[in-house]
Amino acid sequence: MSLAPQELENSASKYASEAIKYDSSGSYGMAITHYQKAVDSLMKLMKFYPNNKLNKIYIERMSSYKNRIKLLRMTSDVEINQDKNLINNNNNDFENLIMTEKPQISWEEVIGLDDAKNALRESIVYPTKRSDLFPLGWPRGILLYGPPGCGKTVLAAATASEIDGYFFNVDAASMMSKWLGEAEKNVSKLFNIARSYAEKQIKPVILFIDEVDSLLGTRNSEVGGEIRARNQFLIEMDGINTKHKDLKMYVIGATNKPWSLDWPFLRRFQKRIAAYLPNIKSRENLFDLYSIPLKLDEKVKSGELAKISNGYSASDIKDICQAAQLKAVNELFNSGEYTEPVEGEELPQPKNLTTNDFKEIMSRRKPSVSTEMVKAYYKWGEEFKAL
């Protein structure tokens, strides 16, 4: 039974949005995968509805996505796993949850979070470069916790880039929901694949598990498969920490709900690092970063914007800049002065953004993280943090 056109179009739009997000953060392997999924959805839409009046637009979109895929493959160092022997051929869906890549993102692009960056250098970067300086070993498990949109994924990707290592990006929530009955096997398989890369490629590997609480979080009622998956994770982490002392493999878990993790799992994450909301200096730098491609009025000062954006996350600030630009474009189209572009003539442009434009957006767009949430993270951190 085929999907309705609107469902397929929504699916393509969702994949494209995710692709752009990964593309902008430097996770090019994930970007390629999601661009391709957007193309596949549009192709399916055109196949099911060949007389759709919008097919011409869909063809243009597919062409744009394909060109971006081609460019990313030509210009980046992304290396997607092609060794099918490392993955069970009878479970190709599992491969789609794993993306092996070399992120193109530097420490300088991670705004603020200095304590977190220093902790990751001590735990991963320095041991990778000079393991002889660590006779007692070094942490292999790192937990990044904090509000959503504060840079946990970017931190992990920048660390992988710093050590020129492979970056395994896995969504624990998807893995658990997709294969509840096989979660135990897939936890084992996941670690085996990562170890294979670390051993065969002689390169460090970072296994990044997003929403790790979906795998390790406390539940009021658990079925047998969940319990076995959690126990398997403990076994795998113990194996990394004790049996493979020279293996350059690290597990970074990210969570927005650190209080849902049981102590046995917390103990396997020797480093527990907070990624909190940006301070005023970081917010200023974020506005500088995201306004680079925008045309601003000369009176706009990032320092002033930073002062009035207290409580906003890094992701919120990016959304504010995007919304301000959308506002200006909307005004252009509705001005009555807009005309269709004529070949050879200069295209009409939106007005320069003013401070009031940003203020108006912030008056309608509140922070995504509440004060109560922030207090909860600080309270948990006081008891369990380990830098």
Side-chain angles (χ1 to χ4, degrees), residues 43-305:
M43 289 182 67
K44 186 181 295 184
L45 177 58
M46 294 173 61
K47 177 181 178 181
F48 289 153
Y49 304 94
N51 298 320
N52 193 325
K53 295 180 180 180
L54 297 176
N55 281 351
K56 183 178 179 181
I57 295 175
Y58 298 151
I59 291 173
E60 292 176 355
R61 287 186 191 175
M62 285 196 301
S63 177
S64 175
Y65 300 153
K66 288 179 179 179
N67 287 338
R68 186 57 184 163
I69 290 173
K70 183 178 180 181
L71 182 62
L72 288 176
R73 285 176 171 163
M74 289 176 60
T75 60
S76 72
D77 292 327
V78 174
E79 293 187 12
I80 300 175
N81 180 16
Q82 299 295 331
D83 187 357
K84 302 301 181 181
N85 294 324
L86 292 179
I87 299 174
N88 187 343
N89 289 326
N90 295 324
N91 195 358
N92 291 328
D93 283 344
F94 183 71
E95 181 184 4
N96 294 331
L97 290 184
I98 301 176
M99 183 55 58
T100 310
E101 56 188 71
K102 292 180 180 178
Q104 301 298 304
I105 183 168
S106 66
W107 285 118
E108 289 71 25
E109 295 173 75
V110 182
I111 306 298
L113 302 174
D114 292 335
D115 288 344
K117 285 190 281 191
N118 288 334
L120 286 167
R121 287 191 184 100
E122 293 173 357
S123 305
I124 297 178
V125 178
Y126 300 155
T128 298
K129 295 183 176 181
R130 287 291 305 275
S131 59
D132 59 297
L133 300 178
F134 298 84
L136 298 180
W138 56 86
R140 307 297 180 89
I142 295 95
L143 180 70
L144 298 177
Y145 67 92
C150 288
K152 295 184 286 293
T153 302
V154 175
L155 270 171
T159 304
S161 179
E162 179 72 12
I163 61 176
D164 188 28
Y166 288 102
F167 185 53
F168 277 54
N169 192 338
V170 180
D171 187 322
S174 297
M175 186 167 70
M176 289 298 288
S177 63
K178 196 172 184 68
W179 293 296
L180 183 57
E182 300 183 28
E184 175 191 3
K185 295 179 182 178
N186 284 291
V187 169
S188 177
K189 189 184 301 182
L190 176 63
F191 277 82
N192 285 337
I193 294 171
R195 273 194 296 267
S196 296
Y197 262 79
E199 293 169 349
K200 295 181 180 181
Q201 303 292 340
I202 318 177
K203 278 182 174 288
V205 169
I206 288 180
L207 175 54
F208 179 71
I209 306 177
D210 199 10
E211 297 187 56
V212 71
D213 51 277
S214 299
L215 175 62
L216 307 180
T218 304
R219 295 171 177 80
N220 293 328
S221 61
E222 293 181 311
V223 297
E226 291 177 321
I227 296 173
R228 290 193 297 272
R230 286 153 57 86
N231 290 339
Q232 186 64 41
F233 185 90
L234 293 177
I235 293 171
E236 298 293 347
M237 288 296 292
D238 287 341
I240 292 175
N241 288 320
T242 60
K243 298 178 182 179
H244 301 276
K245 293 183 179 180
D246 297 324
L247 190 67
K248 301 297 191 302
M249 176 178 166
Y250 308 90
V251 178
I252 299 180
T255 179
N256 302 328
K257 305 172 186 176
W259 41 78
S260 70
L261 300 176
D262 288 336
W263 177 244
F265 300 101
L266 287 179
R267 192 163 57 82
R268 267 68 176 187
F269 293 109
Q270 299 99 319
K271 289 280 189 178
R272 298 180 286 277
I273 306 168
Y276 287 139
L277 294 173
N279 58 26
I280 186 169
K281 182 59 179 177
S282 296
R283 294 197 300 274
E284 181 177 347
N285 292 336
L286 285 165
F287 274 111
D288 284 336
L289 173 66
Y290 293 127
S291 63
I292 288 175
L294 307 179
K295 291 184 178 180
L296 305 180
D297 184 272
E298 61 181 12
K299 294 182 180 179
V300 175
K301 304 298 180 184
S302 57
E304 182 179 353
L305 296 177

Side-chain angles (χ1 to χ4, degrees), residues 273-385:
I273 306 168
Y276 287 139
L277 294 173
N279 58 26
I280 186 169
K281 182 59 179 177
S282 296
R283 294 197 300 274
E284 181 177 347
N285 292 336
L286 285 165
F287 274 111
D288 284 336
L289 173 66
Y290 293 127
S291 63
I292 288 175
L294 307 179
K295 291 184 178 180
L296 305 180
D297 184 272
E298 61 181 12
K299 294 182 180 179
V300 175
K301 304 298 180 184
S302 57
E304 182 179 353
L305 296 177
K307 290 178 182 178
I308 62 176
S309 58
N310 185 37
Y312 287 85
S313 70
S315 179
D316 289 336
I317 291 174
K318 181 179 180 180
D319 290 342
I320 289 169
C321 294
Q322 183 186 72
Q325 178 66 11
L326 290 175
K327 177 177 179 292
V329 171
N330 184 56
E331 291 176 0
L332 171 67
F333 275 88
N334 294 312
S335 64
E337 302 175 3
Y338 182 82
T339 58
E340 291 297 323
V342 178
E343 187 175 354
E345 294 185 6
E346 185 176 349
L347 294 174
Q349 298 296 323
K351 68 168 190 175
N352 290 351
L353 298 176
T354 67
T355 301
N356 284 336
D357 289 322
F358 289 96
K359 287 182 177 180
E360 183 179 337
I361 296 300
M362 281 186 266
S363 70
R364 297 177 308 183
R365 188 185 190 94
K366 301 305 179 182
S368 59
V369 182
S370 68
T371 303
E372 290 71 23
M373 286 178 64
V374 173
K375 290 180 180 177
Y377 288 115
Y378 276 104
K379 182 179 179 180
W380 189 89
E382 289 176 359
E383 187 173 359
F384 295 107
K385 72 179 178 181

